Amino acid sequence: MDPGDLRNLLEQVRTGAVTVPAALDHLESGAVADLGYAHVDLHRRTRCGFPEVIFCQGKASVWIEGVVRKLIEAKQDCLATRVSEEQAEALAKSFPTAEQDRVARTFWLPVNPPPPPRGRVVVITAGTSDLPVAREAVVTAQSLGCGTSLLVDVGVAGIHRLLRHQAEFTGADAVIVVAGMDGALPSVVGGLVDCPVIAVPTSIGYGTAFSGLAPLLTMLNSCSANVVVVNIDNGFKAGYVAALLVRKISGQ
Amino acid sequence: MDPGDLRNLLEQVRTGAVTVPAALDHLESGAVADLGYAHVDLHRRTRCGFPEVIFCQGKASVWIEGVVRKLIEAKQDCLATRVSEEQAEALAKSFPTAEQDRVARTFWLPVNPPPPPRGRVVVITAGTSDLPVAREAVVTAQSLGCGTSLLVDVGVAGIHRLLRHQAEFTGADAVIVVAGMDGALPSVVGGLVDCPVIAVPTSIGYGTAFSGLAPLLTMLNSCSANVVVVNIDNGFKAGYVAALLVRKISGQ
Amino acid sequence: MDPGDLRNLLEQVRTGAVTVPAALDHLESGAVADLGYAHVDLHRRTRCGFPEVIFCQGKASVWIEGVVRKLIEAKQDCLATRVSEEQAEALAKSFPTAEQDRVARTFWLPVNPPPPPRGRVVVITAGTSDLPVAREAVVTAQSLGCGTSLLVDVGVAGIHRLLRHQAEFTGADAVIVVAGMDGALPSVVGGLVDCPVIAVPTSIGYGTAFSGLAPLLTMLNSCSANVVVVNIDNGFKAGYVAALLVRKISGQ
Amino acid sequence: MDPGDLRNLLEQVRTGAVTVPAALDHLESGAVADLGYAHVDLHRRTRCGFPEVIFCQGKASVWIEGVVRKLIEAKQDCLATRVSEEQAEALAKSFPTAEQDRVARTFWLPVNPPPPPRGRVVVITAGTSDLPVAREAVVTAQSLGCGTSLLVDVGVAGIHRLLRHQAEFTGADAVIVVAGMDGALPSVVGGLVDCPVIAVPTSIGYGTAFSGLAPLLTMLNSCSANVVVVNIDNGFKAGYVAALLVRKISGQ
Amino acid sequence: MDPGDLRNLLEQVRTGAVTVPAALDHLESGAVADLGYAHVDLHRRTRCGFPEVIFCQGKASVWIEGVVRKLIEAKQDCLATRVSEEQAEALAKSFPTAEQDRVARTFWLPVNPPPPPRGRVVVITAGTSDLPVAREAVVTAQSLGCGTSLLVDVGVAGIHRLLRHQAEFTGADAVIVVAGMDGALPSVVGGLVDCPVIAVPTSIGYGTAFSGLAPLLTMLNSCSANVVVVNIDNGFKAGYVAALLVRKISGQ
Amino acid sequence: MDPGDLRNLLEQVRTGAVTVPAALDHLESGAVADLGYAHVDLHRRTRCGFPEVIFCQGKASVWIEGVVRKLIEAKQDCLATRVSEEQAEALAKSFPTAEQDRVARTFWLPVNPPPPPRGRVVVITAGTSDLPVAREAVVTAQSLGCGTSLLVDVGVAGIHRLLRHQAEFTGADAVIVVAGMDGALPSVVGGLVDCPVIAVPTSIGYGTAFSGLAPLLTMLNSCSANVVVVNIDNGFKAGYVAALLVRKISGQ
Amino acid sequence: MDPGDLRNLLEQVRTGAVTVPAALDHLESGAVADLGYAHVDLHRRTRCGFPEVIFCQGKASVWIEGVVRKLIEAKQDCLATRVSEEQAEALAKSFPTAEQDRVARTFWLPVNPPPPPRGRVVVITAGTSDLPVAREAVVTAQSLGCGTSLLVDVGVAGIHRLLRHQAEFTGADAVIVVAGMDGALPSVVGGLVDCPVIAVPTSIGYGTAFSGLAPLLTMLNSCSANVVVVNIDNGFKAGYVAALLVRKISGQ
Amino acid sequence: MDPGDLRNLLEQVRTGAVTVPAALDHLESGAVADLGYAHVDLHRRTRCGFPEVIFCQGKASVWIEGVVRKLIEAKQDCLATRVSEEQAEALAKSFPTAEQDRVARTFWLPVNPPPPPRGRVVVITAGTSDLPVAREAVVTAQSLGCGTSLLVDVGVAGIHRLLRHQAEFTGADAVIVVAGMDGALPSVVGGLVDCPVIAVPTSIGYGTAFSGLAPLLTMLNSCSANVVVVNIDNGFKAGYVAALLVRKISGQ
């Protein structure tokens, strides 16, 4: 709470325009729903631009359902990621109208019909095996209101495959590049565009790929100055940040 | 070159509107100055939004000077980073009007007086020792036209130090958080803002900080969805990406 | 055995107040029950404050049962941790009155009804997925006589969730913070309390969490001076040390 | 600020007992001195039990002096660690009455004569080379009011060296064990005492000690349940936590 | 496309000898078949000497079948590696005439009967357990037209086993050495031959073999100057490079 | 073959005392049986003191049976290690008189009744979970003719458990210490005996034990000068080396 | 020695055609000069195609000079690498006619004037800072008789810089690619040529380049099938292997 | 102290044959000289076979001198390792009759003229640069009474260099193999001898040798069953263990 607002509130308390309990509520830090097994952050949308997203790994299905219900109750769009097969089935029974993407392992239950997509986020993969992570990025960005397109299997071992699609990503608001193995694609793409490139290493590959460590290091060391990195296989975060950019650019 | 442009060019060659040598020049991939020890990319500004920046580590001073001269000749702003003491002295003699920041280890020689800064990038550090990296980010973002502000030593061990400055970074276009040791600050800042947070790990700290590996991992694993990461001590890249965002948001 | 005691004992042998066999028993280093597959340390309670605790991982059920029986025989409380599903079933048959917590994976069979809990240990988790490790800490501290409370899912991405519960952990005797992913929570909590914070990294998270290595490093590098660390997922040790502190503070 | 206090304050504002500016001050989060290059946390003593301690590594001497002056002004004891030779000389000129320990690399400038030491902290080292880190722990604990004793070079390769000193550490409030190489000493000590053992790995040793990583892992994996760990060479944190324990036990 | 060719083409466009669409096709970079889930590089044979090879790990069987069909259609030999049991069965149904080697996990479907093998590639393994990787190398080299021989279980612990077979690998065009555990064999072989040795570490072995990391490091540090290295378990790449050498030596 | 022997042989060829084919056989390096999938080293007993031992991991059962048969044929004792459940069953059918130890995962088929055991090898474990590795060491040493004894669960957290058994390992020819977790036991034992201590790290333990890496590093860094180390979980090698020592000491 | 040759030799001994001492010499394994501090392998040229090369790191200058003298005496070309400043000066005094390249840190003293270079090896670097390693490769390949060319600073961040030079490396016998930071260049080059690509990671770069580990992993994981890898900064080995290839292709 | 001895002692106390103070002394654990900065273990020779050896790294010269004096006083041979240049000079002044080996970095001051050496320890190095570590092993083994011989620069890249010296190490009591880079030599030697091979990795080499980690892993994974390993560069421990073996074999 910034000092100016605080001064106003205190003045209103002094004049009686605001009652003490109301001020108390207001001063308490944000609306949080305590479910025992989770604290649902209901002011996140206001504070951070988008509602809380549920990371499902390692959680009981009933816990996830509880959080979904609380978000619905609070009239908030609900996106969940890393939904296991078992969780997906349980959620499908409880929320039959939700969209589930089993490649991306996502669950999506919006409150209202979505507004028309804005901006232009391009998701590019080096190989066919990177598709699940790329889909997670696409679903996330779409859920948060972005226009997206997807370009698959254009890795650097056949550089002309990428170059012939150059028109499709030139001028994008943000480009997400998903790559395993040598992780070299973001550096090349980075040198071809004038927007940030969000690089996502994937855990695909032979021996020393070390479950994604090799492409992660490649991307952190990218010689292209516009490449930033997120965690291994973290398509969600890439889609989220791209959507933040688009929202800023759209002036919202 | 996108297919539409290519078709146009070929039509112009066919009709004679463009001569073969001219078309040839046009088709050749970008203007590059080959200095023997370096290929200076003179079309980078067109393609990527900003001119090439010189990374000085491991280079002879005469090589750096050669590149600077080539950029000046091509009427391009010249920014160099990781300038060592020895290189700085050599450059100061050759280019006495350039601005050198010895904390940030940068060299800055613009062609024209800079336009008024646009946008709002906030750089935050966890500790006092993170200042050199933060300065590199600030100088880079400023050189690329951004308005910047700097908030030092507000690490999470005294969380109120950060919270009392919240107004200063709320509503920023981008926030850069520079932190060594536990690298926990970006996660906290990430939960308080609605823009991307660019996290820069630094190599400051005791034993298991492992020259920045510890905060790097912390930041990659940040539980805040809007945190992206660049390489250890890479203030330059953070400033560069922040400037790209600002440029996109400003609609340029 | 300290020199003073030793001198006394030898004097008593000399005077005949103590027989040689009795002295021999006394001088032999502690009562240990040798079961062939295990040496049960029956003097641990005297020496270290609490009886031996059984770590079940990698052990045959019959071995565990043998140790439990030996401890019961010696009138000692029996706590076992890391009890697998299979071991739990075997133990339930042999010791039907024991309490087993399947989230914490613990087995608890006290000799006498417990005394009223003393002291105040607060266990805090960053996420919902950290619950099993947190429960292990809670069960351990309770078994060793502590009053405990548990605060779940108050990670730093929504810092106000933690701050609004500040009264619940201010003034605690010890705080245990359980966190995976970025492991940033102990640093923040550490700056808010005047007692030791025992940080427990968990193996929850995406790629570079590296099965808990990332939060472990974060916690070791915590910029809060009161944060100490135990092994990944080791809720037991955190609960044990917290109980030691409480016992010391209670003057027992 | 806990809800009860907050309600009271608001009532006082309502009744006029407290003016709005006074309430505003009160509500603002803690006294922090902003020096430009550092935010000095002057409420740390109240919140965390001890004043802020200055970590000198990577800081300019003038910055350190500025923080020392601010703490003196605020009538707070001033402890600084990791003081380099160069910093030590500069500080000696500015603050000639301060105590500097060049083995421990510490600077200590108390406001008032210290009260009589309380409690009993024993610092044990495995080898002679671990002395500097052990001294840092001793100086820290003493500065924070503890009674300390130091036992040097009693590593496990000659276990009787430790055992003959057993009386010196039995019954301690806390034991700090400092060890490099195999880092095995804390496990042995842990099995002999009924208090927490704070283990400090040091960066002394041959090849695979890997600058302290080997003893760090040993200590994290200690089979003694009362062993907690701090960062490599971090004698300061060990001394600090020991002092916290003593303060709690002393009921202060 | 080199400048001379480009100039010619443009001249032909100018004179009308080549139509604009034809030139356009020619200028577009290479024939690529876009299947949605994959971009099949049909000019690879021309550009790189051999057709594209399908890496099957992490791909749906239908995707693999689609790529195989596209290659057949383009009259290209089709080699696939890392074929899982499940994929192998699906492919066997769709392409019953293909050769599948279940030890090597390969799939091979040539367009025409192979020409007589050329050159001489010797594949040597340190142990029996290295056979699957060695077989992948053999099948690859054979598919690409090489003469191969295989020498199994001649590791350095019984150096005379290797020496007595020396005549079999002396004078080879290339030697591939496959070894896990200590990975020492390539260094010894390297000192006995006058051709390049391609070393392939395998993930066989006890604890610190670290899934092939130990032999990988051994091989990278080989004191024999003619040893180059490929990724862990990557028999395919070793066979591929050996075939490239043979093709060069054969002057094709 | 040493030069003196060689000279003799050549003289004998010259005089006709030895025929050329006989000399040829003699000069060829050792008897090796080539089974296609394995080279069985039949002169190993002569050269290295003990026959070849079969490491079963990653090998087909028929291959193992083939090697066993070849060794039997050559009248050599046959020891196999790392025998999986599946391999054990197959071997039991083919060689019903062999001894299989399913805890140690060994197979043992001697040609003749063993001679009386010689020497004294003591195997000590830190915990109960280290038993399988310890058993592998015991079976190996026994198969190679040593007298052995086994002392289980005397880790350093209760140091008196070890000390009261001191008489059992004092004066041994070699001591093998098997330990996971902190791996501290070999350092303590090393300081109590006058023979080499062969330390075997095991892959038992919590998080940062990192599958045996932590105790491995502890042991490599042991401050006791008589501690040597073998690979993680490699009870076989420890038993083998101990047997070599005993054989040397026995003067055989 | 192969069995046929051996049989011949023995027959010659039998008939007296060869004396016993002559046969003895022949049977002894190779001519080696033992200097006490080094064994110089004088048959290496015969066995491996090129004479022994001196790796100077960590050696006294007098030792290096001794080996050089021995090689000269044996009429062999002498190449030394990793020559330090101090060693270079000492060698310059003793062998003033030798060529020393202080960027490449090499020493080169041929016995005869070199034959005309054969073949075509292209060395490409990603950046200017990679020059010293590239020069080591060039000098090595040239010393061993190859024709070489060098292309500097054409990293993937400006992919057109590479593409415009494509004609220069198309059709080469071997391409050596030297790159630090992200190490992405070999993958791109690999997809453009039909010869082996020898990738050399360099230790240039920011934080997580980890002294060359990052580009090493990138290169090992290269998605181009013709990329093999040598050790970090090992320009020598790359040049050596390229020369071997050229020699094979030239049919020598 | 074993139970039998203890019973005797107690009986003697009972009968008065031993006084209480004498018994007390006897029961106290070993003679240890406490110098404040070090505990010198004067019973080590009795307990472990050899006197304590001083590891000098990280210690003040005066501390080392104090320990040397205490050992001389106790009539014990004095060996010190890792003696720096500075320490060497100080020790030379105080103990001018001591032998110092500046390649091995050792200090040796025996009490009496040494007995004739016994046994046969062979130290072998892979390269010339491994000499300092090998010398440390030689000096240590000699100081502890062994006959030693040294064989330098016979690495596996020219395997015949080793084989022609085979007679020199066949039949040794113990072989120490010192190797950096690929660390492959111990595996080869291990297959040629019937005694234990003590492998010492050294920190010599290019990039991925990682300061000795690469040869360490090679050696731990050695496929020769008689290879045990000590820490990187730890020639001392190798020499010490070899001497222990020789002493056992000599029956002393």
Side-chain angles (χ1 to χ4, degrees), chain A:
Chain A
M1 200 169 198
D2 84 306
D5 289 356
L6 191 53
R7 184 184 303 269
N8 288 346
L9 181 68
L10 290 170
E11 289 291 352
Q12 287 171 315
V13 169
R14 193 181 60 78
T15 61
V18 167
T19 65
V20 167
L24 195 58
D25 272 9
H26 204 96
L27 281 168
E28 278 192 13
S29 50
V32 176
D34 187 346
L35 303 178
Y37 49 81
H39 277 87
V40 188
D41 183 348
L42 298 171
H43 275 199
R44 189 165 198 88
R45 190 172 43 181
T46 314
R47 208 171 68 245
C48 300
F50 295 118
E52 188 161 345
V53 175
I54 309 169
F55 176 64
C56 295
Q57 195 174 301
K59 292 181 186 163
S61 292
V62 292
W63 295 346
I64 300 168
E65 291 179 32
V67 178
V68 174
R69 287 223 161 75
K70 184 58 65 183
L71 286 168
I72 292 174
E73 221 170 74
K75 305 272 182 245
Q76 305 211 0
D77 292 346
C78 176
L79 175 66
T81 65
R82 299 282 161 129
V83 183
S84 71
E85 283 300 329
E86 191 189 331
Q87 293 164 340
E89 281 179 36
L91 290 169
K93 280 180 195 145
S94 303
F95 310 99
T97 61
E99 288 171 38
Q100 296 209 32
D101 181 323
R102 290 315 299 146
V103 170
R105 285 170 300 161
T106 51
F107 168 98
W108 171 233
L109 187 53
V111 174
N112 296 308
R118 58 196 175 192
R120 181 166 159 243
V121 173
V122 183
V123 180
I124 304 178
T125 85
T128 297
S129 312
D130 302 316
L131 253 174
V133 175
R135 288 286 312 156
E136 192 186 53
V138 166
V139 169
T140 300
Q142 284 176 341
S143 301
L144 303 180
C146 294
T148 65
S149 61
L150 179 60
L151 184 56
V152 175
D153 190 28
V154 292
V156 300
I159 195 73
H160 60 288
R161 290 183 302 187
L162 177 73
L163 297 177
R164 71 199 315 243
H165 287 284
Q166 203 169 339
E168 295 170 34
F169 53 84
T170 299
D173 292 319
V175 175
I176 293 169
V177 182
V178 183
M181 294 182 153
D182 58 20
L185 188 56
S187 291
V188 176
V189 173
L192 297 170
V193 299
D194 68 345
C195 66
V197 170
I198 304 167
V200 191
T202 64
S203 51
I204 294 301
Y206 275 72
T208 55
F210 291 132
S211 303
L213 180 59
L216 170 69
L217 291 177
T218 311
M219 292 165 178
L220 283 168
N221 287 288
S222 175
C223 47
S224 289
N226 53 348
V227 175
V228 293
V229 184
V230 297
N231 207 347
I232 296 165
D233 289 338
N234 199 337
F236 159 67
K237 195 174 278 191
Y240 188 96
V241 171
L244 274 185
L245 296 184
V246 165
R247 222 185 42 132
K248 282 276 177 188
I249 293 168
S250 315
Q252 294 174 316

Side-chain angles (χ1 to χ4, degrees), chain C residues 187-242:
Chain C
S187 292
V188 175
V189 172
L192 297 171
V193 298
D194 67 347
C195 66
V197 169
I198 304 166
V200 191
T202 64
S203 51
I204 294 301
Y206 274 72
T208 55
F210 290 132
S211 303
L213 181 59
L216 171 69
L217 291 179
T218 311
M219 291 166 179
L220 283 168
N221 287 289
S222 174
C223 45
S224 290
N226 53 348
V227 175
V228 292
V229 184
V230 297
N231 207 347
I232 297 166
D233 290 338
N234 199 336
F236 159 67
K237 195 173 277 189
Y240 188 95
V241 171

Side-chain angles (χ1 to χ4, degrees), chain A residues 10 13 19-25 27-28, chain D residues 1-15 18 27:
Chain A
L10 290 170
V13 169
T19 65
V20 167
L24 195 58
D25 272 9
L27 281 168
E28 278 192 13
Chain D
M1 198 167 199
D2 83 307
D5 290 356
L6 191 54
R7 184 185 302 270
N8 288 346
L9 181 67
L10 291 169
E11 287 290 353
Q12 289 171 314
V13 169
R14 193 183 59 80
T15 60
V18 168
L27 282 168

Side-chain angles (χ1 to χ4, degrees), chain G residues 79 108 112 131 188 224:
Chain G
L79 175 65
W108 170 231
N112 297 306
L131 252 174
V188 176
S224 289

